[in-house]
Amino acid sequence: MSDSVPVPRRPDWDEYFMNIAEVVAQRSNCRRRHVAAVVVQDKRVISTGYNGTPRGVRNCSDGGCPRCAQDDLPSGAALHECLCCHAEENAIVQAAFHGTALRGASLYTTYSPCLLCAKMIINAGIREVIFRSRYSVDTVSSAMLAEAGVILRPVVVPEVQG
């Protein structure tokens, strides 16, 4: 008689990369929302990004962003005051900084992309965007991604059991 040890359920690829994105989001220094993006090609992470102020600029959490300092702002208000780079933007720029092409890659993000990020995704040649939560101002960006032939799909990832 053998004692069998239960084998934990192995996450599928969407769960695996989205769970990585959730960890990357923990690096965000934004006081309003933590967002992350993970760019994947051939089941390999090639770039990551999270939202926060540009390199060399004081972090939001340290008072670097005037929008973050206004705790009573509703979502989507005073976006013109925000100094943060978005997670998708940072993942794309990081890849460029290191000379890594993104053509044909997939991008996992904790929120669906805004209009600016959608334009960057299209022009970077990313073919698919997988997101966990819908961003409240993504109607135009979703339509533009569809028109450009970029697949946009939500994914439901079960909570990680520890």
Side-chain angles (χ1 to χ4, degrees):
M1 188 149 85
S2 69
D3 292 327
S4 64
V5 176
V7 177
R9 190 183 74 73
R10 189 172 178 208
D12 66 24
W13 289 111
D14 282 346
E15 291 173 59
Y16 176 72
F17 292 121
M18 194 58 74
N19 286 336
I20 291 172
E22 293 294 336
V23 171
V24 172
Q26 294 173 20
R27 289 284 307 151
S28 171
N29 60 64
C30 180
R31 292 180 46 199
R32 299 182 67 82
R33 185 187 316 247
H34 291 189
V35 182
V38 174
V39 183
V40 173
Q41 197 155 41
D42 300 322
K43 295 185 174 70
R44 184 174 62 88
V45 174
I46 59 174
S47 186
T48 66
Y50 52 85
N51 61 324
T53 52
R55 184 179 286 130
V57 174
R58 192 168 23 134
N59 288 334
C60 291
S61 53
D62 299 326
C65 178
R67 183 169 184 265
C68 279
Q70 300 176 54
D71 292 328
D72 59 344
L73 283 177
S75 182
L79 292 175
H80 64 283
E81 294 181 10
C82 182
L83 300 184
C84 288
C85 298
H86 289 188
E88 303 92 331
E89 177 183 6
N90 275 331
I92 291 167
V93 171
Q94 270 303 106
F97 186 82
H98 294 287
T100 303
L102 302 181
R103 183 180 306 133
S106 297
L107 185 143
Y108 287 82
T109 182
T110 53
Y111 285 88
S112 56
C114 71
L115 183 57
L116 177 63
C117 289
K119 291 186 266 187
M120 294 179 76
I121 288 165
I122 292 165
N123 283 341
I126 293 170
R127 66 173 174 79
E128 179 181 36
V129 175
I130 304 96
F131 67 93
R132 173 173 266 167
S133 300
R134 186 165 291 285
Y135 184 48
S136 60
V137 293
D138 77 343
T139 306
V140 175
S141 59
S142 297
M144 187 174 18
L145 288 166
E147 181 179 345
V150 177
I151 298 164
L152 178 65
R153 66 180 172 87
V155 66
V156 176
V157 177
E159 292 298 316
V160 177
Q161 302 297 316

